[in-house]
Amino acid sequence: MPSPRDWIGLLDRVRRFGPGLVLLDNWPAFPFARRLSEALGRPLVYRSQNVEVDYWRGMVGTAHGLRRARLSVNARRIGRLERDVRSVASVVLDISEEDRVRSAALGQEGRSVVLPGTRLPRHVLHVPWEQRDIDVLFAGNLWAPNNVHGLAWFFERVLPAAVSKAPGLRVAVAGARPTPEVRAAALRLGVACYADPPELEGLRSRARVLMNPQLQYGGLMQKMLDYLSHDSWIVTTGVGAAGLTGELPASVCVRDDPEGFAAELVARSADPTVPSGAGASYLEREFGVTRLRESIARIVAATAGGAAA
């Protein structure tokens, strides 16, 4: 929450801007967004990135000791807060149909509209296949329990099978704040670990295969939209592909068994015939400007209905 002095200045600036609604992009700012919405007399719209209570319960399941106890308390608190946010908001923008259904099952659907994540066109560095020096790359933060859990599965059950098929396979992980467990496993297994890189775009462009070995949580994962921007193969689990709408591009391979996942990594890293532009075309069709315009029209209509109610 801003200080009383900052609040006066912020409120004045927002009033001069004259918004039609207040968009809460993530739950931690709910107290401020609600206060702003009430002061302006404008509808509050909540953008849900996932079912938060499930996300936090999942983290509880992968933690131990005091951290597990703290996460358990937080999960209960966030469950109550999430119900408040969704009930107060004039419109809730769920990122996937799966999340909308799950929230309804929890009794906290609210006035929900499914709005998939948006990926506007952007220039991505293209590196010729023969110049790519990373065969397999995971690019995402290296501290979140779901990412760490998925990488543990990859290190323990997938990588040995992949290396047995392709002993020279060049594997890397990159992202913020790698845990000691991730660092140790990478060092032990000969996996390059790019800790806290200034940006991931260049690293993704150097990879022949981008992988997402997620085993927990649903919703739409931002890393998958980032991956699809590149002309690389993508190997993911079904959980990793959750929230992706429509028919997936030919560059995406979904496997949930360790042997199958490993086989896809090896085969794709040696296959330069990745469908060029398949991911970008998919993003434009399912998450691009046309879809964004349609979604905005739906938000406006739903917000007007919520405000009237």
Side-chain angles (χ1 to χ4, degrees):
M1 292 294 291
S3 68
R5 176 180 296 179
D6 288 341
W7 163 252
I8 293 172
L10 283 167
L11 183 59
D12 180 64
R13 288 169 56 196
V14 176
R15 277 180 171 149
R16 282 187 277 115
F17 176 71
L21 57 86
V22 176
L23 175 63
L24 172 61
D25 192 53
N26 215 329
W27 60 268
F30 173 58
F32 172 65
R34 176 169 57 179
R35 184 179 179 188
L36 191 60
S37 170
E38 292 171 349
L40 296 170
R42 294 291 185 269
L44 176 64
V45 176
Y46 170 49
R47 172 35 140 189
S48 175
Q49 305 291 338
N50 53 41
V51 181
E52 291 293 342
V53 67
D54 283 352
Y55 180 86
W56 284 78
R57 285 171 177 167
M59 287 199 289
V60 171
T62 60
H64 303 281
L66 184 57
R67 176 172 169 78
R68 182 184 179 93
R70 288 173 176 168
L71 287 173
S72 181
V73 171
N74 281 344
R76 289 194 295 272
R77 289 174 173 170
I78 287 169
R80 293 192 295 268
L81 176 63
E82 187 173 27
R83 184 173 290 105
D84 290 344
V85 175
R86 296 180 73 98
S87 63
V88 167
S90 295
V91 178
V92 176
L93 308 177
D94 277 312
I95 204 163
S96 68
E97 179 64 18
E98 293 92 337
D99 278 11
R100 188 197 66 77
V101 171
R102 174 59 179 158
S103 295
L106 291 170
Q108 56 183 45
E109 181 178 14
R111 289 175 281 275
S112 173
V113 174
V114 176
L115 172 63
T118 300
R119 171 62 61 184
L120 300 179
R122 63 178 180 175
H123 173 74
V124 174
L125 175 68
H126 177 73
V127 176
W129 182 266
E130 62 276 8
Q131 295 179 20
R132 301 186 189 188
D133 59 348
I134 301 173
D135 290 322
V136 176
L137 173 70
F138 172 84
N141 81 65
L142 300 176
W143 59 267
N146 57 321
N147 287 352
V148 173
H149 185 258
L151 285 173
W153 175 78
F154 168 75
F155 287 143
E156 295 168 10
R157 304 194 58 190
V158 176
L159 187 56
V163 172
S164 70
K165 296 178 174 65
L169 197 68
R170 300 166 299 181
V171 181
V173 297
R177 296 164 50 196
T179 65
E181 294 82 2
V182 169
R183 288 181 184 270
L187 181 63
R188 184 179 74 254
L189 297 168
V191 172
C193 180
Y194 297 93
D196 302 301
E199 51 86 25
L200 290 173
E201 195 76 19
L203 285 168
R204 286 192 292 260
S205 296
R206 290 164 49 189
R208 295 182 171 186
V209 179
L210 297 166
M211 70 162 179
N212 188 15
Q214 294 286 342
L215 302 177
Q216 297 176 321
Y217 319 142
L220 178 66
M221 296 186 181
Q222 181 65 40
K223 67 173 65 66
M224 291 299 291
L225 301 186
D226 293 332
Y227 283 2
L228 285 160
S229 298
H230 295 264
D231 276 340
S232 302
W233 292 106
I234 299 171
V235 178
T236 181
T237 59
V239 171
L244 294 176
T245 56
E247 183 178 352
L248 297 181
S251 56
V252 177
C253 312
V254 181
R255 295 297 295 265
D256 285 316
D257 59 301
E259 283 289 339
F261 201 98
E264 290 288 1
L265 293 179
V266 171
R268 301 307 173 186
S269 66
D271 182 3
T273 62
V274 55
S276 179
S281 297
Y282 170 81
L283 288 175
E284 173 56 29
R285 182 178 72 250
E286 296 294 330
F287 301 95
V289 175
T290 299
R291 178 61 61 86
L292 179 59
R293 289 193 181 113
E294 295 171 354
S295 298
I296 288 173
R298 293 183 64 197
I299 294 167
V300 170
T303 304

